[in-house]
Amino acid sequence: MKERNVWKLNGFVGVLAMLALLAAGAYLLVAEMIIPAVILLVLALVPVSGFTVVQPNQGMIVNFFGRYSGTIRDSGFWITIPFTERKKISLRVRNFNSVKLKVNDVDGNPIEIASVVVFRVVDTAKAMFEVDNYQTFVEIQSETGLRHVASKYPYDSYNGEAYSLRANTEEIAEELTHELERRLQVAGVEVLESRLTHLAYSTEIASAMLQRQQASAIISAREKIVEGAVSMVQMAISRLQAEGVVELDEERKAAMINNLLVAVVSDRSAQPVINSGSIY
């Protein structure tokens, strides 16, 4: 089923036509032309059932004896097919906040995740007739799509080579939007945006994963410190030799490297010791 336009006419034009028929019927009634007068009066009352008012950002679905006739999307006062059933459906932008879901990521770690989905109805016929209740359908399919996307990625990528739920929020949100668009297309719903609103490890593993993150951060920091310290030592020895400040043999180089590395790499302030004699 697909949305289509239904016949409609400006409601004020319909009112004028109805008044003209009533006036003509009354005139014939006064002229004692009973049958034509009754016909005109009945015809004047028929359009009354076709008058309808459509609010901005609202669709009016028109059914004629159980058959879908079309939709009125233009706001205003209209006259449409008489003796029809009309149902309103909102075309406004809405959002849905999912509850916190407990899902296993691709590594099997239990996590808590939630999202917000911004959507609107773009096909009133599908939203009304293809699903039982499109709002409930959006809620259930949004949670199902969120579970599916969350189970494809790890919570965190410690080597930084793969996508993760924590580090790649923009990419995850884009994939979630595409996933929901595919699922909600049958209900005539367009997904404008979807975002993660909550992401955390489950309580039973939160403390262990926090220790793992801290250890990983310490290791990464130490790697940077050691890399910088080695560069500083190389630069110091090269400049001393290039400027001829002092002649360093292998033993003196080893001692200098040891002292510089201890001073730079140590997490505490180094205590200087002045050596007034020879190292030999």
Side-chain angles (χ1 to χ4, degrees):
M1 185 167 289
K2 199 171 183 180
E3 180 184 312
R4 60 176 178 267
N5 294 324
V6 69
W7 175 85
K8 66 181 186 300
L9 186 66
N10 189 290
F12 296 104
V13 175
V15 170
L16 292 176
M18 183 184 67
L19 293 177
L21 290 174
L22 287 175
Y27 174 78
L28 293 178
L29 191 62
V30 172
E32 297 184 355
M33 302 175 65
I34 306 299
I35 295 178
V38 171
I39 293 175
L40 288 179
L41 291 176
V42 171
L43 291 176
L45 296 177
V46 167
V48 175
S49 63
F51 289 115
T52 185
V53 177
V54 181
Q55 302 295 335
N57 274 333
Q58 185 184 77
M60 186 70 69
I61 296 176
V62 180
N63 294 329
F64 186 70
F65 292 101
R67 185 175 181 179
Y68 173 64
S69 299
T71 301
I72 303 175
R73 278 179 170 265
D74 300 326
S75 60
F77 178 47
W78 303 99
I79 181 174
T80 185
I81 303 172
F83 307 114
T84 54
E85 178 188 10
R86 294 178 289 277
K87 296 181 180 179
K88 300 177 182 179
I89 185 168
S90 176
L91 304 177
R92 298 180 177 91
V93 176
R94 282 174 284 182
N95 57 50
F96 163 69
N97 287 299
S98 70
V99 297
K100 293 180 182 179
L101 305 176
K102 191 172 181 180
V103 189
N104 290 336
D105 67 1
V106 71
D107 295 328
N109 299 318
I111 61 174
E112 294 179 350
I113 191 170
S115 68
V116 58
V117 180
V118 183
F119 69 96
R120 65 181 176 186
V121 174
V122 294
D123 192 311
T124 58
K126 289 183 177 180
M128 182 63 67
F129 302 113
E130 291 291 349
V131 294
D132 187 39
N133 187 310
Y134 75 92
Q135 298 186 59
T136 303
F137 187 81
V138 168
E139 295 175 5
I140 295 175
Q141 291 300 319
S142 297
E143 294 181 354
T144 304
L146 179 60
R147 287 182 181 273
H148 177 70
V149 172
S151 64
K152 294 171 58 179
Y153 299 96
Y155 177 90
D156 205 349
S157 178
Y158 297 98
N159 54 15
E161 296 178 356
Y163 280 179
S164 65
L165 298 173
R166 187 180 68 87
N168 302 94
T169 54
E170 292 294 332
E171 291 80 2
I172 299 301
E174 184 177 355
E175 181 171 350
L176 178 60
T177 300
H178 292 326
E179 176 73 14
L180 296 181
E181 283 180 348
R182 183 180 62 83
R183 291 174 176 267
L184 299 178
Q185 186 177 8
V186 66
V189 172
E190 177 188 13
V191 179
L192 302 177
E193 185 184 17
S194 61
R195 293 281 177 180
L196 298 183
T197 56
H198 176 78
L199 180 64
Y201 282 113
S202 295
T203 54
E204 59 266 27
I205 66 166
S207 59
M209 288 303 176
L210 179 60
Q211 293 177 359
R212 180 176 178 179
Q213 290 178 352
Q214 291 174 342
S216 177
I218 292 173
I219 292 173
S220 299
R222 288 295 181 185
E223 289 178 352
K224 290 293 183 182
I225 292 173
V226 171
E227 182 181 349
V230 172
S231 299
M232 292 171 64
V233 170
Q234 290 176 344
M235 181 178 64
I237 294 176
S238 298
R239 291 194 63 178
L240 287 173
Q241 290 179 340
E243 297 178 5
V245 176
V246 64
E247 291 293 334
L248 299 176
D249 57 15
E250 295 301 324
E251 187 174 355
R252 285 189 174 90
K253 287 182 182 180
M256 178 177 287
I257 291 172
N258 178 69
N259 293 334
L260 288 174
L261 286 177
V262 170
V264 175
V265 175
S266 176
D267 57 352
R268 296 183 180 180
S269 300
Q271 298 295 328
V273 177
I274 300 176
N275 183 13
S276 59
S278 174
I279 65 173
Y280 297 106

